[in-house]
Amino acid sequence: MTDTADAPAPSAPPTATAAAASPAPPATRPDNRLPRPAGELERLRAAWTRPSGWRVVGSVNNVFIGKLYIATAFVFLLLGGVLALLMRAQLAAPSQTLIDAPLFQQLFTMHGTVMMFLFAVPMVEAIAVYLLPNMLGARDLPFPRLSAYSYWMYAIGGLAFYATLFWQLAPDSGWFMYPPLSGSHYSPGLNADFWLLGIGFIEISAIAGAIELITGILMTRAPGMSLGRMPVYAWAMLVVGLMIVLAFPAVIAGTALLELERAFDWPIFDATRGGDPLLWQHLFWFFGHPEVYIIFLPAAGLVSTMVPALARTSLIGRHAVTAALIAIGAVSFLLWLHHMFTAGLGGLGLSLVSIFSVAIAIPGALQIFAWIGTLWRGRLRWTTATWFLVGFLVTFVLGGLTGVMLALLPIDWQVHDTYFVVAHFHYVLIGGMVLPMFAALYHWMPLWKGRALSERAGRWVFGLVFGGFHLTFFPMHLAGMLGMPRRVHTYPAGLGLEVPNLLSSIGAVVIAAGVLLFVVDLVRSQRGPEQSHNDPWRSSTLEWLPSEAYGTRSIPHVEHHEPLWHRPELHEEVEAGAHWLPGTVTGGRETLITSPVRAHPLRVVVLAGDSLWPLLAAIGTAAFFLLMTVKQVGGTVAGGVLALVAIWAWLWQTDRAPAAEDAQAADGVLLPLGASGRQAPSFWGVVILIVVEATIFASMAFAHLHVAMRLDVCPPPGVGLAGVDALWLQTLGFVLSALLMAWTGRGAWRTLVPAWRSALLLPAFALAAWAFHAGLKSAWPADRPPTLDAWTGTLAALHALQGLQIVVAALLALYYGVRIASGLVRPRQHATRESVVLLWGWICLQGVITVWWPRWVA
């Protein structure tokens, strides 16, 4: 993460900087001739022009999608806040009857779900989709249609999920959905099913966004922007993207297992038949505790980007701050038992987690000291963003202190499930994410339409939000220490809880007033046509360069981690087309592919253009999950078919042969046009997808291992494991299937793959299907249905996951076969082959592990 070329910047934005001491990289800053050819800028604008009229919903540009994403996430913040106000109205005084217990259960379940799943994580990704491409100097992220699909699936599914409140179908078992309360016995209706299936596809949306962000950060940075020069915010989003693909699959697996129990009576969490309700907590909190840091780390990255601009000096300890981000992301996966201190687990494990829970405060404190030191050293501008940043520091430090308290076992045992915990996590989440979000909105709003928010109104917004927050949540610490339990809809008088609750309810109204004032000012200030922002803060990062829908006129060559302070003339140079890719070579939307570490320019790639297919795919996906919940078979099938057809058409359009061998990336500089193999974003996108699938599979395998370890005898009496010879034969079937699939596209990098090779896909699929069927048949006899006990149920779930993969394999074989038969697998057009071979190889490897798993566990 170090870069010897980056000398520390002075305490104010420099006007000149000495040349870097390190040797020049192979690709130096281009020296394009000026003036640029006539019509070059017009062709670039035409390639990136947004559709007009109703077709604008097919736009996939990051600026358009990012704005929609941010606006939708903010709407969910308002909707979740309305639910909080209703709950605080009920709790303002003892023994009130404004809201009865069943409705209150739905309100607090939906409040937590909306804030965590529909606001916090989507807002994190929304800001990244909007800011990162320009901050990295890229024209757009590498999979713009994936970003559009991710957004539309989130927006459509999220609004449909929220609407369950109006039909009394909202979940009522808490946003954590602990069994057995969320099981079919205690939650017999569809309420819990809407949570399970709804959250499932919202998590898929988040994972799709993470794949886009990871690939974009590693492969589309501006030339010269090595990892050591990359903005701290980009580092934060890279860490967060990796955390999402490792943590979110666990909750997808958990929701699938709980839905299998509810729908088919597979007793995975049923203690009466060998299941374990704590298994859900393990899966949920393996996702849930990293999610807290998934929400905080992007905010920390934004703070690390805003503080230097507002203090007009370089960030102190920049590389140490980056290392702290990585350390927090890694350690957060060791802390899921932090939420299970009172669950009766072993003392050694709890003690280790307690130590880790305290230790994670060290890298967090390092960042706070770096921010405070930077503010102290610089010449601070007291803008509204600055006030929110100071409020964030105060609030987050207080939340961190109570977090250290809760990391100590004796204290946690006393205040667990009281309002002390409610106060703590609101201090951490609102202090650690919402206050920095407001700071970011005030800081970066000039990029939106060139219009800043009112500083005068902003100070009122800060005062109301900050003061109302502490008035709301500080008294909750006292209520919790007085013994007020969480999730209760009323409380009796005479316990000393009246004053804390009344203050909290008044504070909630004050927060609402501040947010309302912000919305009014936002609407007022953003009316009128777009105008130039003119870089009001004189910041150091690339997003403040003059830009349009295509980003910057030319992609800048970066020579410092603070490029605009290092080279102030960069504004004029990129606008004049004096850097990389000043026009459009093919008439399409192009960007550079650079090396992951040093960011050397490697290739020019054409990005996918506007299309309605991502929207249609999102509609089909949402319809499939939501209509499945209400058992509308016809609608479910129709939604699934629509999603498959739309994804087919979307992918078919994206794997095209480049128009030429090379592209002129700058005057006198030719780069290969198009990318394949390890230099292709699609290759690494599929690799990340396989990591997600592997994590889901590992979570399912852990579930079976967990219930197996609770048995006195494993496997259960009467279960006969498959013979070793049969298992080796099934393994051979999967291996031959993978080899045959790889061979079907052999030589694609040299010559056209002949159409007859598509016929080989049938035996490749048949081998995988046979091996799966043989393993399924030998897994358990007919007299041991999955409903018998948890051991059988979790094993059946593992095979069900492999069965789903076999269905995916059939779709892959069909799609790949049609591409081969159409003559579309050939030199410089074989991304489909690489993707299919990678996915097929994982499906076969997962199949091998599945058939051997019962014997390994036994």
Side-chain angles (χ1 to χ4, degrees):
M1 290 183 296
T2 60
D3 194 327
T4 56
D6 290 349
S11 60
T15 57
T17 305
S22 61
T28 57
R29 176 159 37 96
D31 185 18
N32 288 349
R33 295 187 302 272
L34 300 176
R36 303 300 309 160
E40 183 180 67
L41 180 58
E42 287 70 21
R43 289 191 294 273
L44 182 62
R45 284 174 174 160
W48 290 84
T49 298
R50 185 186 305 161
S52 58
W54 67 269
R55 291 184 178 273
V56 72
V57 296
S59 178
V60 299
N61 179 264
N62 75 283
V63 173
F64 178 75
I65 293 298
K67 288 181 177 180
L68 284 179
Y69 227 140
I70 292 171
T72 306
F74 195 83
V75 167
F76 280 117
L77 170 64
L78 300 179
L79 294 175
V82 169
L83 302 180
L85 287 173
L86 293 174
M87 288 189 291
R88 287 314 318 168
Q90 166 64 18
L91 293 171
S95 304
Q96 289 211 98
T97 57
L98 295 175
I99 298 172
D100 61 17
L103 179 57
F104 190 90
Q105 304 285 346
Q106 292 187 23
L107 290 179
F108 85 72
T109 299
M110 288 295 288
H111 170 72
T113 302
V114 167
M115 290 304 197
M116 296 297 288
F117 294 101
L118 297 180
F119 161 65
V121 174
M123 179 61 84
V124 161
E125 293 192 332
I127 295 175
V129 168
Y130 181 70
L131 278 185
L132 265 183
N134 285 349
M135 190 178 284
L136 297 174
R139 287 274 161 76
D140 204 341
L141 295 170
F143 308 121
R145 292 188 180 181
L146 186 62
S147 287
Y149 172 72
S150 174
Y151 165 72
W152 287 114
M153 188 162 63
Y154 151 68
I156 296 169
L159 290 172
F161 175 69
Y162 190 89
T164 58
L165 270 170
F166 304 106
W167 282 273
Q168 294 293 302
L169 290 173
D172 54 5
S173 303
W175 74 277
F176 36 79
M177 294 294 286
Y178 282 173
L181 185 60
S182 58
S184 56
H185 179 72
Y186 294 102
S187 298
L190 294 175
N191 304 57
D193 299 296
F194 273 109
W195 191 96
L196 293 169
L197 294 176
I199 293 306
F201 75 79
I202 290 170
E203 297 306 291
I204 293 172
S205 169
I207 289 171
I211 292 173
E212 172 83 302
L213 293 173
I214 294 170
T215 311
I217 291 169
L218 291 178
M219 302 194 71
T220 63
R221 302 194 306 277
M225 186 183 283
S226 63
L227 291 180
R229 295 172 180 166
M230 194 166 71
V232 176
Y233 176 63
W235 269 107
M237 290 312 303
L238 178 60
V239 173
V240 165
L242 295 171
M243 292 174 69
I244 288 175
V245 301
L246 293 174
F248 280 35
V251 78
I252 292 176
T255 55
L257 291 172
L258 185 51
E259 185 59 29
L260 286 172
E261 178 174 294
R262 289 179 55 85
F264 303 111
D265 194 31
W266 294 7
I268 295 166
F269 306 103
D270 184 356
T272 64
R273 288 180 284 173
D276 186 6
L278 288 182
L279 171 60
W280 168 266
Q281 294 192 38
H282 283 293
L283 294 173
F284 185 84
W285 290 118
F286 186 79
F287 141 82
H289 202 88
E291 189 192 26
V292 174
Y293 297 98
I294 287 169
I295 294 168
F296 165 67
L297 290 183
L302 292 172
V303 172
S304 294
T305 306
M306 286 184 282
V307 163
L310 295 171
R312 291 175 280 192
T313 187
S314 300
L315 179 67
I316 291 176
R318 179 175 177 273
H319 296 306
V321 169
T322 303
L325 292 171
I326 299 171
I328 290 173
V331 177
S332 68
F333 283 92
L334 304 176
L335 304 183
W336 81 91
L337 293 181
H338 176 94
H339 299 266
M340 303 171 66
F341 279 172
T342 61
L345 303 178
L348 176 60
L350 295 185
S351 298
L352 290 174
V353 172
S354 177
I355 294 171
F356 291 138
S357 298
V358 175
I360 201 171
I362 297 173
L366 188 152
Q367 294 182 86
I368 290 171
F369 285 124
W371 297 327
I372 294 174
T374 305
L375 293 172
W376 185 270
R377 184 178 73 173
R379 294 182 292 116
L380 192 59
R381 298 183 183 98
W382 281 100
T383 66
T384 302
T386 307
W387 282 108
F388 271 107
L389 289 180
V390 172
F392 149 73
L393 288 171
V394 172
T395 306
F396 188 72
V397 167
L398 291 175
L401 292 175
T402 57
V404 172
M405 293 170 64
L406 290 171
L408 305 177
L409 293 173
I411 295 178
D412 189 272
W413 289 337
Q414 293 298 316
V415 299
H416 191 81
D417 271 344
T418 71
Y419 260 72
F420 188 92
V421 177
V422 176
H424 159 70
F425 70 67
H426 279 89
Y427 262 78
V428 171
L429 295 179
I430 295 181
M433 188 269 178
V434 177
L435 295 181
M437 178 202 72
F438 274 106
L441 291 174
Y442 276 94
H443 184 76
W444 276 287
M445 188 54 69
L447 292 178
W448 194 283
K449 294 184 68 175
R451 301 171 183 274
L453 293 165
S454 167
E455 285 293 315
R456 182 179 179 183
R459 284 167 168 77
W460 278 98
V461 171
F462 167 74
L464 291 169
V465 171
F466 181 76
F469 169 81
H470 287 280
L471 182 60
T472 300
F473 294 104
F474 189 82
M476 290 186 185
H477 292 96
L478 305 178
M481 288 188 288
L482 290 172
M484 183 171 178
R486 302 163 63 182
R487 311 169 199 131
V488 294
H489 81 291
T490 188
Y491 53 93
L495 299 179
L497 301 175
E498 294 88 344
V499 173
N501 276 286
L502 179 59
L503 292 175
S504 293
S505 296
I506 294 172
V509 175
V510 175
I511 295 174
V515 175
L516 179 61
L517 177 59
F518 171 81
V519 172
V520 171
D521 183 46
L522 178 66
V523 173
R524 179 204 59 79
S525 64
Q526 300 307 303
R527 291 183 299 177
E530 291 193 29
Q531 59 190 35
S532 175
H533 59 72
N534 295 321
D535 189 8
W537 316 122
R538 298 296 182 263
S539 300
S540 64
T541 44
L542 295 178
E543 75 275 13
W544 292 102
L545 289 171
S547 64
E548 296 186 29
Y550 48 76
T552 55
R553 164 72 192 280
S554 57
I555 296 176
H557 190 94
V558 174
E559 298 170 332
H560 196 271
H561 71 270
E562 292 168 332
L564 298 189
W565 287 354
H566 170 75
R567 192 175 179 83
E569 60 270 26
L570 206 57
H571 293 81
E572 292 75 24
E573 289 178 357
V574 298
E575 186 68 2
H579 283 254
W580 295 92
L581 213 61
T584 174
V585 180
T586 64
R589 300 181 175 184
E590 301 149 356
T591 196
L592 289 175
I593 295 295
T594 53
S595 59
V597 177
R598 299 296 301 173
H600 294 158
L602 300 176
R603 293 177 176 269
V604 176
V605 294
V606 181
L607 302 174
D610 298 322
S611 172
L612 292 173
W613 291 121
L615 172 59
L616 295 175
I619 293 172
T621 305
F624 177 82
F625 280 99
L626 293 172
L627 294 176
M628 180 192 298
T629 306
V630 296
K631 299 177 174 57
Q632 291 288 333
V633 178
T636 301
V637 172
V641 170
L642 174 60
L644 290 175
V645 169
I647 293 173
W648 180 301
W650 157 14
L651 295 177
W652 190 273
Q653 295 173 356
T654 54
D655 185 8
R656 294 178 175 176
E661 290 282 343
D662 299 308
Q664 186 166 301
D667 286 352
V669 180
L670 293 178
L671 291 177
L673 183 60
S676 60
R678 296 181 182 179
Q679 291 184 354
S682 60
F683 178 91
W684 292 106
V686 171
V687 169
I688 298 170
L689 177 61
I690 290 173
V691 172
V692 172
E693 294 186 351
T695 309
I696 294 174
F697 176 74
S699 300
M700 293 280 200
F702 167 77
H704 181 68
L705 177 64
H706 181 85
V707 299
M709 292 177 66
R710 289 171 52 85
L711 297 174
D712 295 329
V713 178
C714 184
V719 173
L721 297 177
V724 174
D725 292 342
L727 295 180
W728 279 114
L729 189 60
Q730 294 160 26
T731 301
L732 179 62
F734 281 119
V735 171
L736 291 177
S737 174
L739 293 175
L740 190 57
M741 171 58 70
W743 191 80
T744 56
R746 185 174 63 90
W749 58 91
R750 295 192 310 267
T751 184
L752 174 71
V753 173
W756 66 266
R757 293 263 190 94
S758 60
L760 298 178
L761 297 173
L762 183 60
F765 173 74
L767 282 168
W770 169 83
F772 164 71
H773 180 264
L776 187 66
K777 188 175 180 180
S778 61
W780 57 79
D783 61 348
R784 290 194 66 86
T787 57
L788 182 63
D789 55 38
W791 187 90
T792 312
T794 51
L795 184 60
L798 204 60
H799 281 81
L801 179 62
Q802 181 62 22
L804 178 62
Q805 293 283 53
I806 294 298
V807 174
V808 171
L811 296 173
L812 289 174
L814 178 62
Y815 179 80
Y816 184 37
V818 174
R819 296 282 299 189
I820 293 176
S822 301
L824 298 177
V825 180
R826 52 186 171 172
R828 304 178 67 242
Q829 191 181 9
H830 47 82
T832 297
R833 169 190 171 273
E834 295 161 354
S835 299
V836 170
V837 169
L838 281 172
L839 283 171
W840 199 280
W842 163 249
I843 290 171
C844 290
L845 177 59
Q846 179 179 299
V848 170
I849 299 174
T850 300
V851 299
W852 283 92
W853 186 252
R855 181 167 288 276
W856 290 344
V857 171

